[in-house]
Amino acid sequence: MELINQHTKAIMEGCKERARGAGLRFEDETLEYIVTNRDLLELTPKLMIPTLYDYWVHDVEVLKEKGRYELYPGNPYETVINTRPAISFYNDNNPDWLNVMIFYHVLAHIDFFQNNIFFRHTWDFDLTGQALSDKRLIARLRARHGRWVDYVIEFARGIDNLVGYFEELARFDPPAVTVGSRRLDYYFDVFLQEVKKVRAAEYLREVERFNSCCVHQGALGEDNFFVEVLRKYPEFETLYEKSLERRPARKGDLLQYLMEHSDFLKREENRWMLSVLQVIRNTSVYFQPQIRTKILNEGWASYWHERLFLEDDRIRGHEVDFARVHAGVTSLPKVGLNPYALGMRLFEYIEEMADKGRYSFAYQKLGDAEARRRFDSGAGKGRETLFAVRANESDFTFISRYIDQDFVDRHKLFVAGKRLNRSRMTWQYYIKSRKAADYRQMLLGDLYHPPHIRVAADKARDGGLYLEHKFEGKPLVRDYIANTLLGIEYLWGRPVHLETSEPVAAAAAGSNTAVAGAFLSAPPERDGERPQITWRRVLYTMENRELSKVPLA
């Protein structure tokens, strides 16, 4: 692995100048390395961070990648990491015209990393330097404690997808300080909703009454409003005073809770484990936004490498070569998901819609297909809208807000189903739906969405740890529960309980028996037959390295 030569660096600097002219914004300092396929195989398990800590799972992944490469050899064009300065890696046999295309793709990625709000916590952070420090720390601990360091890493990585990423992000962009009354906030946000649990209609009547008091009575409006509140709820003032005495509960994720409350980790001989847990958590938090913006990020890079490459006079004579490579990267499959293709086409669609003023009530209220096709107010807001999307969206909001029926129809997109052809005993794929709502739901179902598991301290008994899984329609993967709870029990030092939901599949029609199952996803349809699944709460307990399960009422 070595830095690119001066000739190739000059090409990159020319690409930077043209990219900035088009509106992209990024720091000037970047590092570009030439790597072999062997280098890429060894860097991939480390998330392309050369200084990341050593771990035996990385070595296993390298062996797997080598085996896969022997069967299916290929040359990755590039990869880029979100560091300061940004570091990118390029294959050692790329011609100059291909590097022009790749450099534009990389610069768009860097622009995205350094301007998207979901990467806010990474903007002022030197990941490579911190990773090198962490690597040396773990190496020192491994020299003292041997294999126990790897056990702690494995236990921590089993739950590092549960980190409080959004809470961490909120620290860098706190909400604006309001001058509203704390008593008013408590009344509407806590007392009515959590204490009295009033109906929505009654809640809205109180809001209207407060607004009326403020309009008609000015500065005395709030005081007069609470006169009626105290007449109706005499206990309100006492509860409000008690709320002022309580310190707000600090939100934290499972790793944070273990580090702060585990008596086992606070023992003198075990304090070194806290450093390992902190390294794992910090690394996971850093990479959370990249997992949550895959379609958006790759679509943004593909959009710009196409636009900028075709406008670059240095690539004349290689348009056909570009078209061949570009089509391979951004082809839109009928079944499956290509984030490069979907993201790029969605950005093009958004630009067109904003340029023609179609994100307006005047357009949305049109019911005639021909009138919608001809509509063009000449708003010219395309590029402005694109940069706003780049700055403020994640994959979830990108898909939810901008994939509509017009987009689905334009690109002939559909949701594919799978069913058994009993006469041929083969599986058949078929078009299940062409509705935008169904297509969005399919995409959203494939996005990264870790389970919501919180520590329920009020349910814990005898020093145990009680975890509550907020069920969102998908069960936990049963194969991972035992090992994950085993690791948590070790780090906590006492029994661990996990409350979750599991499916119960009803028996076939005509049968009175029910069969318990663990459908992690809906099974393929069989000539219209679909199993009826109900859900029940169960409680897993890991105690003395033994797992048990009981159903809950």
Side-chain angles (χ1 to χ4, degrees):
M1 186 169 65
E2 59 184 19
L3 289 170
I4 60 174
N5 58 39
Q6 291 301 307
H7 169 72
T8 310
K9 184 66 173 177
I11 296 176
M12 167 58 102
E13 293 303 314
C15 291
K16 286 181 181 179
E17 181 179 348
R18 290 168 172 80
R20 285 197 178 97
L24 299 184
R25 296 188 292 111
F26 44 82
E27 295 177 359
D28 192 54
E29 294 79 13
T30 61
L31 290 175
E32 295 80 32
Y33 287 93
I34 294 294
V35 292
T36 64
N37 287 342
R38 177 179 292 275
D39 293 327
L40 291 174
L41 293 178
E42 293 178 354
L43 284 171
T44 298
K46 290 190 171 188
L47 305 172
M48 302 307 297
I49 307 296
T51 55
L52 198 68
Y53 62 87
D54 296 314
Y55 180 46
W56 67 269
V57 171
H58 298 160
D59 300 330
V60 173
E61 290 297 321
V62 169
L63 295 176
K64 286 171 57 178
E65 290 297 326
K66 286 182 178 178
R68 186 179 292 110
Y69 180 78
E70 290 178 0
L71 291 174
Y72 308 104
N75 294 326
Y77 297 122
E78 54 78 26
T79 187
V80 57
I81 56 177
N82 177 31
T83 56
R84 294 295 185 277
I87 300 176
S88 50
F89 305 93
Y90 304 87
N91 201 273
D92 56 358
N93 54 12
N94 292 340
D96 286 348
W97 70 266
L98 183 57
N99 275 334
V100 172
M101 168 186 166
I102 294 172
F103 287 158
Y104 285 135
H105 192 92
V106 165
L107 290 172
H109 274 313
I110 297 173
D111 167 87
F112 189 88
F113 292 148
Q114 297 181 3
N115 294 284
N116 182 270
I117 193 62
F118 288 88
F119 289 81
R120 176 64 185 86
H121 65 295
T122 72
W123 290 350
D124 304 312
F125 190 77
D126 178 18
L127 177 62
T128 50
Q130 183 61 52
L132 179 59
S133 175
D134 295 341
K135 179 177 183 176
R136 291 169 176 170
L137 169 65
I138 288 180
R140 289 197 303 270
L141 293 175
R142 194 175 275 126
R144 298 177 191 171
H145 304 284
R147 60 190 175 91
W148 290 103
V149 176
D150 292 283
Y151 285 143
V152 175
I153 294 176
E154 184 170 350
F155 295 156
R157 284 176 54 148
I159 54 176
D160 71 343
N161 62 326
L162 305 179
V163 293
Y165 160 66
F166 288 106
E167 287 79 6
E168 195 75 20
L169 198 63
R171 295 196 302 109
F172 293 87
D173 190 20
V177 178
T178 61
V179 296
S181 164
R182 293 181 63 180
R183 186 165 64 155
L184 197 64
D185 291 341
Y186 175 79
Y187 179 67
F188 282 108
D189 297 343
V190 179
F191 184 78
L192 289 181
Q193 297 185 55
E194 298 180 9
V195 178
K196 292 301 180 181
K197 298 180 180 178
V198 300
R199 295 178 179 273
E202 184 177 349
Y203 184 90
L204 291 175
R205 280 198 297 270
E206 285 296 279
V207 172
E208 292 174 0
R209 191 171 69 82
F210 172 74
N211 290 336
S212 177
C213 288
C214 292
V215 169
H216 295 99
Q217 300 167 24
L220 298 176
E222 182 176 327
D223 291 336
N224 291 332
F225 171 78
F226 277 107
V227 169
E228 181 63 28
V229 169
L230 294 175
R231 183 179 297 117
K232 186 175 182 180
Y233 303 115
E235 72 277 20
F236 170 76
E237 200 66 40
T238 301
L239 293 175
Y240 171 64
E241 294 295 337
K242 288 183 177 180
S243 73
L244 297 178
E245 299 173 1
R246 292 193 299 267
R247 297 180 63 183
R250 177 180 178 272
K251 292 184 178 181
D253 53 58
L254 182 52
L255 276 173
Q256 282 178 312
Y257 192 87
L258 291 172
M259 288 188 285
E260 293 175 6
H261 298 93
S262 171
D263 293 333
F264 174 77
L265 295 176
K266 291 179 182 178
R267 296 176 189 171
E268 187 62 34
E269 65 273 18
N270 296 332
R271 287 185 178 275
W272 62 269
M273 298 181 187
L274 295 171
S275 300
V276 178
L277 296 184
Q278 192 65 60
V279 168
I280 303 302
R281 183 181 181 279
N282 290 344
T283 304
S284 178
V285 169
Y286 194 90
F287 284 104
Q288 284 290 309
Q290 289 184 268
I291 306 173
R292 299 172 188 271
T293 57
K294 180 69 174 177
I295 298 173
L296 190 68
N297 197 344
E298 295 297 355
W300 182 252
S302 299
Y303 171 90
W304 282 107
H305 85 229
E306 180 184 62
R307 293 293 187 277
L308 295 174
F309 185 92
L310 294 177
E311 296 172 0
D312 197 316
D313 56 356
R314 295 174 297 175
I315 55 85
R316 289 176 181 167
H318 293 284
E319 290 84 356
V320 175
D321 297 322
F322 165 78
R324 185 182 299 112
V325 173
H326 180 65
V329 173
T330 61
S331 60
L332 194 62
K334 293 300 182 183
V335 178
L337 172 64
N338 180 349
Y340 299 81
L342 179 65
M344 184 189 75
R345 284 167 176 78
L346 195 48
F347 272 116
E348 292 172 343
Y349 177 71
I350 292 170
E351 182 179 29
E352 177 187 338
M353 293 284 284
D355 273 337
K356 294 182 178 181
R358 294 182 177 179
Y359 290 122
S360 63
F361 179 72
Y363 175 77
Q364 298 300 326
K365 72 178 183 180
L366 292 177
D368 181 70
E370 181 61 24
R372 291 173 68 88
R373 188 185 66 81
R374 294 197 309 267
F375 186 93
D376 186 353
S377 68
K381 298 284 187 178
R383 284 293 170 90
E384 177 184 334
T385 303
L386 289 189
F387 282 105
V389 170
R390 178 265 272 145
N392 298 298
E393 307 288 354
S394 66
D395 281 346
F396 179 83
T397 57
F398 189 50
I399 291 170
S400 300
R401 291 180 179 178
Y402 297 107
I403 290 185
D404 56 21
Q405 194 62 52
D406 290 340
F407 177 79
V408 171
D409 293 342
R410 174 178 299 187
H411 295 288
K412 298 180 174 61
L413 302 175
F414 57 83
V415 178
K418 183 181 179 182
R419 62 190 171 197
L420 178 66
N421 184 325
R422 294 186 176 182
S423 63
R424 297 184 179 182
M425 293 307 294
T426 57
W427 292 109
Q428 290 183 333
Y429 290 93
Y430 67 99
I431 296 176
K432 189 175 182 179
S433 174
R434 294 185 184 274
K435 295 180 179 179
D438 295 333
Y439 189 77
R440 280 197 305 269
Q441 193 59 43
M442 178 191 70
L443 294 176
L444 294 176
D446 288 339
L447 296 183
Y448 173 79
H449 186 68
H452 182 187
I453 296 178
R454 73 176 189 93
V455 177
D458 56 318
K459 295 185 178 182
R461 297 292 183 272
D462 301 324
L465 181 65
Y466 198 102
L467 305 176
E468 200 169 51
H469 173 214
K470 181 180 178 181
F471 183 61
E472 298 177 282
K474 291 184 178 181
L476 301 176
V477 181
R478 188 179 294 179
D479 292 344
Y480 297 156
I481 290 177
N483 286 339
T484 302
L485 291 183
L486 178 66
I488 299 173
E489 183 197 23
Y490 177 80
L491 297 174
W492 183 248
R494 293 182 181 180
V496 177
H497 309 278
L498 171 65
E499 180 182 329
T500 184
S501 296
E502 288 189 344
V504 180
S511 172
N512 293 324
T513 60
V515 180
F519 294 107
L520 302 181
S521 60
E525 297 177 23
R526 299 179 57 182
D527 295 341
E529 296 180 9
R530 293 182 63 85
Q532 296 179 356
I533 299 176
T534 57
W535 301 91
R536 68 179 179 187
R537 296 295 281 181
V538 298
L539 182 67
Y540 284 94
T541 299
M542 178 65 71
E543 185 171 7
N544 296 325
R545 294 182 292 179
E546 293 290 335
L547 183 67
S548 61
K549 182 180 74 171
V550 295
L552 298 176

